[in-house]
Amino acid sequence: MELKNKTIVVTGPTGMVGPPLCKTLAADNRVLALARFSDANARADLEAGGVECIAVDFVEADFSAVPREVDVVVNLAVIKTGDWKTDLAVCSEATGHLMSHFRDAEAFLHCSSGAVYQPNGGQPFTEDSPHGNHHAHMMPTYSICKIAGESVARFGAQEFNLPTVIARLNVPYGDTTGWPFFHLLMMRAGMDIEVHTDGARYNLVHDEDIAADLPVLLDQASVPATTLNWASPGLVSVAEWCAFMAEIDGCDPPKIVESDTAIPSTVMDTSRIEALRPDRLVNWKDGIRRLVENHPA
């Protein structure tokens, strides 16, 4: 799908993935960003990038202030309060209301997560791998809410005849944010970095590749919904990217502590998305280097 001269709704525009994606899309499209916008600076930053911001409370899921006539919906909305009622309302129930409101859209992308998979000792997850409470120890509601959200998206696709793609993202980062950024701050503070005993390996996917993947993923939107792993090929462990950051930054080497209660590995089988878009814009070492250089000590 060519994303030019489209009206695109993006939910969750103030999270890790949302800001750079919204600004990239706004260069050639009308982008409507939906969030509470409790942070005035986050809203101002998006508006400076040409994004139209509309305040919406996803717990209430009232989208009446948002025009229905849009071309594409990118649902990145997520919350991790640990309160089951709130988290299920935002991560799953609101998806149904969103799909109902925008039932006439050309395509709907529901952003899920590798956190829906049952931990398996670091073996690759295919799109058909068993589900489970992957993040149970660190984020007790997250995995279950993501699984519930996928179920609602599958229902909505068929109920509203809305072409839908469910994309399981793993692990987003960019020049200014992401999980490696928090590890960089922890190393500079001399803090321990807890990793899982299974090797703590993940597929990093850069903001630029997330934006480049979007048109390809939307092309896969269908009824019934299509499900795809959303990640870049190639694995890297937390210990490996932390050691590389320390080398660039000049801080002390990471203090790695293994634990069975840390987030397990999320090793994605990326064969399906690689077949759709084989070339990557940013490899993990270049991306990590850019991240560190954008945050001088």
Side-chain angles (χ1 to χ4, degrees):
M1 176 182 291
E2 185 178 19
L3 295 181
K4 288 191 176 182
N5 301 315
K6 302 279 191 185
T7 299
I8 303 173
V9 166
V10 180
T11 70
T14 59
M16 271 195 287
V17 176
L21 182 60
C22 284
K23 293 173 193 175
T24 297
L25 292 172
D28 297 304
N29 304 276
R30 181 190 182 197
V31 176
L32 307 178
L34 312 186
R36 288 179 302 164
F37 293 113
S38 54
D39 183 341
N41 291 331
R43 178 171 187 156
D45 179 63
L46 286 168
E47 290 176 337
V51 178
E52 299 177 40
C53 297
I54 303 175
V56 172
D57 185 338
F58 277 73
V59 174
E60 299 298 327
D62 180 2
F63 302 108
S64 58
V66 189
R68 293 177 182 270
E69 299 76 22
V70 305
D71 299 303
V72 172
V73 180
V74 180
N75 183 25
L76 305 174
V78 68
I79 194 168
K80 307 167 191 172
T81 67
D83 175 75
W84 284 99
K85 184 177 180 180
T86 300
D87 293 0
L88 281 167
V90 173
C91 296
S92 57
E93 295 160 25
T95 299
H97 293 291
L98 196 69
M99 297 180 86
S100 177
H101 189 81
F102 297 114
R103 63 181 67 190
D104 295 325
E106 294 177 29
F108 188 100
L109 183 144
H110 179 71
C111 184
S112 187
S113 168
V116 302
Y117 292 117
Q118 176 66 34
N120 63 2
Q123 298 304 305
F125 295 121
T126 72
E127 285 84 355
D128 297 321
S129 292
H131 289 13
N133 198 354
H134 192 278
H135 282 28
H137 293 293
M138 299 290 289
M139 303 174 193
T141 64
Y142 185 70
S143 295
I144 302 303
C145 288
K146 279 296 187 181
I147 293 168
E150 287 193 10
S151 295
V152 173
R154 289 190 194 93
F155 168 78
Q158 298 194 72
E159 177 71 9
F160 307 120
N161 196 34
L162 174 56
T164 298
V165 59
I166 298 168
R168 294 172 178 159
L169 187 61
N170 177 51
V171 166
Y173 78 113
D175 293 352
T176 59
T177 190
W179 201 14
F181 171 60
F182 296 109
H183 289 146
L184 176 63
L185 298 181
M186 291 171 71
M187 286 192 296
R188 287 175 176 172
M191 298 172 63
D192 292 345
I193 295 176
E194 190 175 77
V195 302
H196 200 274
T197 52
D198 67 5
R201 298 182 302 152
Y202 308 89
N203 305 74
L204 289 174
V205 55
H206 194 274
D207 288 342
E208 291 183 14
D209 280 301
I210 288 173
D213 284 334
L214 188 60
V216 173
L217 289 169
L218 289 167
D219 276 337
Q220 305 306 305
S222 61
V223 180
T226 297
T227 302
L228 288 168
N229 286 340
W230 190 3
S232 290
L235 294 172
V236 57
S237 69
V238 172
E240 190 176 4
W241 75 55
C242 284
F244 187 63
M245 285 194 295
E247 179 184 329
I248 299 166
D249 187 62
C251 62
D252 289 338
K255 300 175 182 177
I256 301 295
V257 177
E258 292 190 345
S259 170
D260 287 330
T261 61
I263 294 176
S265 289
T266 314
V267 177
M268 302 290 251
D269 180 332
T270 58
S271 56
R272 291 179 64 186
I273 195 167
E274 280 187 79
L276 298 169
R277 183 174 167 262
D279 297 325
R280 297 282 104 183
L281 298 176
V282 184
N283 68 55
W284 78 265
K285 283 194 172 182
D286 288 342
I288 290 292
R289 184 179 298 278
R290 285 164 52 175
L291 172 63
V292 175
E293 291 173 350
N294 269 279
H295 294 91

